[in-house]
């Protein structure tokens, strides 16, 4: 079964607004990653946060991790129409960073121009 | 970042035939590659872990005789869908890692349609 659950499943916002997506997972993790997928395409790696980190930034992206609640959030600030895509969190369960990822259900984001 | 190339990007085949999908790491040696399957509007499901020079490790519920995985070199893993049926139609994505870094690099995916 999938490790993570994400909410919301779908999100529609206006350009310029912020978008927040949440991810919950069930077991202990080594790190948590966020990916973006444009329709019918491969995955683009956005950001990785390790289990001993609480917050990380990359451009307009901000990721938080709360290991006590087994949850993470991805915030996209000042959204653009080009941000329209599906966003997935993924957890690497192994302590040796094998790259074996378990994906959440994903959030489909639509940014209206 | 490192580049992983997946080929073909789209394939249509007849029921009963076999289809081979290639996953290549172009600028690094991938000791481990992973194969995922994605149904429309759903998430990625890990199918198997492919290690160079050894047998693949399949996830529970994945038929190893149906989804043949070969990782013959450090830059190439192949997934062969044997005796394909319409229910095998899906989006298949590979990823590759050197094993000593935390980021897995994904291919562009292959859209398989079995008619």
């Amino acid at each position: 079964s999938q490790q993570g659950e994400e909410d919301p499943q779908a999100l529609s916002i206006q350009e310029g607004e912020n978008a927040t997506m949440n991810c919950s997972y069930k077991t202990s993790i080594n790190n948590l990653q966020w990916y973006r997928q444009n329709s019918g395409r491969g995955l683009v790696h956005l950001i990785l946060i390790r289990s001993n980190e609480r917050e990380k930034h990359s451009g307009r992206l901000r990721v938080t991790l709360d290991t006590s609640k087994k949850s993470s959030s991805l915030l996209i600030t000042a959204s653009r129409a080009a941000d329209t895509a599906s966003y997935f969190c993924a957890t690497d369960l192994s302590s040796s960073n094998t790259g074996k990822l378990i994906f959440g259900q994903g959030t489909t984001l639509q940014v209206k121009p | 970042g490192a580049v992983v190339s997946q080929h073909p990007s789209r394939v249509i085949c007849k029921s009963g035939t076999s289809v081979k999908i290639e996953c290549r790491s172009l600028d690094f040696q991938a000791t481990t590659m992973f194969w995922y399957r994605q149904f429309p509007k759903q998430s990625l499901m890990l199918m198997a872990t492919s290690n160079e020079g050894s047998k693949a490790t399949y996830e529970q519920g994945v038929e190893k005789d149906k989804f043949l995985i070969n990782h013959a070199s450090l830059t190439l893993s192949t997934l062969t869908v044997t005796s394909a049926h319409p229910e095998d139609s899906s989006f298949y994505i590979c990823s590759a890692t050197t094993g000593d870094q935390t980021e897995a690099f994904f291919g562009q995916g292959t859209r398989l349609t079995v008619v």
Side-chain angles (χ1 to χ4, degrees):
Chain A
S1 63
Q2 289 296 307
Q3 163 77 326
E5 296 182 358
E6 294 182 58
D7 76 272
Q9 290 188 343
L11 180 62
S12 181
I13 59 174
Q14 292 294 136
E15 205 166 28
E17 294 180 340
N18 296 341
T20 300
M21 290 160 266
N22 302 297
C23 167
S24 62
Y25 56 92
K26 299 176 182 176
T27 63
S28 297
I29 61 170
N30 182 50
N31 64 66
L32 186 143
Q33 305 179 42
W34 285 90
Y35 287 84
R36 185 182 80 192
Q37 183 182 35
N38 287 74
S39 181
R41 306 293 293 274
L43 273 71
V44 174
H45 183 263
L46 295 177
I47 198 165
L48 178 151
I49 186 165
R50 301 181 193 280
S51 59
N52 62 353
E53 297 177 311
R54 292 295 169 260
E55 188 172 309
K56 205 161 183 180
H57 297 253
S58 177
R60 293 185 295 113
L61 306 180
R62 182 172 80 101
V63 167
T64 63
L65 179 65
D66 187 335
T67 53
S68 66
K69 295 181 180 179
K70 291 186 168 56
S71 67
S72 174
S73 67
L74 170 66
L75 168 68
I76 303 175
T77 60
S79 64
R80 305 167 182 169
D83 294 330
T84 294
S86 292
Y87 291 83
F88 296 93
C89 66
T91 51
D92 190 330
L93 303 181
S94 71
S95 58
S96 56
N97 299 329
T98 61
K100 178 179 177 179
L101 301 177
I102 305 299
F103 284 83
Q105 297 302 313
T107 295
T108 300
L109 172 67
Q110 182 186 28
V111 181
K112 300 175 183 177
Chain B
V3 178
V4 174
S5 176
Q6 193 172 333
H7 178 81
S9 58
R10 290 178 180 271
V11 59
I12 300 173
C13 71
K14 293 183 177 180
S15 289
T17 62
S18 295
V19 174
K20 180 184 285 188
I21 302 170
E22 293 186 347
C23 181
R24 294 181 183 273
S25 57
L26 298 187
D27 51 3
F28 67 101
Q29 293 185 328
T31 54
T32 306
M33 290 185 174
F34 302 92
W35 288 95
Y36 296 83
R37 181 175 183 176
Q38 185 180 32
F39 290 106
K41 299 188 186 302
Q42 294 191 24
S43 186
L44 282 76
M45 295 287 293
L46 179 65
M47 298 175 66
T49 301
S50 169
N51 294 299
E52 186 267 338
S54 63
K55 291 184 178 180
T57 303
Y58 291 82
E59 295 299 305
Q60 190 174 6
V62 178
E63 298 177 60
K64 63 180 181 180
D65 293 332
K66 181 163 188 63
F67 299 101
L68 300 179
I69 291 172
N70 183 275
H71 194 155
S73 75
L74 286 171
T75 60
L76 174 65
S77 176
T78 60
L79 167 67
T80 301
V81 183
T82 63
S83 187
H85 291 283
E87 55 264 33
D88 298 326
S89 298
S90 189
F91 192 59
Y92 294 88
I93 310 177
C94 70
S95 72
T97 176
T98 61
D100 60 355
Q101 57 190 72
T102 52
E103 182 178 346
F105 301 97
F106 283 81
Q108 309 95 313
T110 297
R111 173 77 58 194
L112 170 63
T113 303
V114 184
V115 297

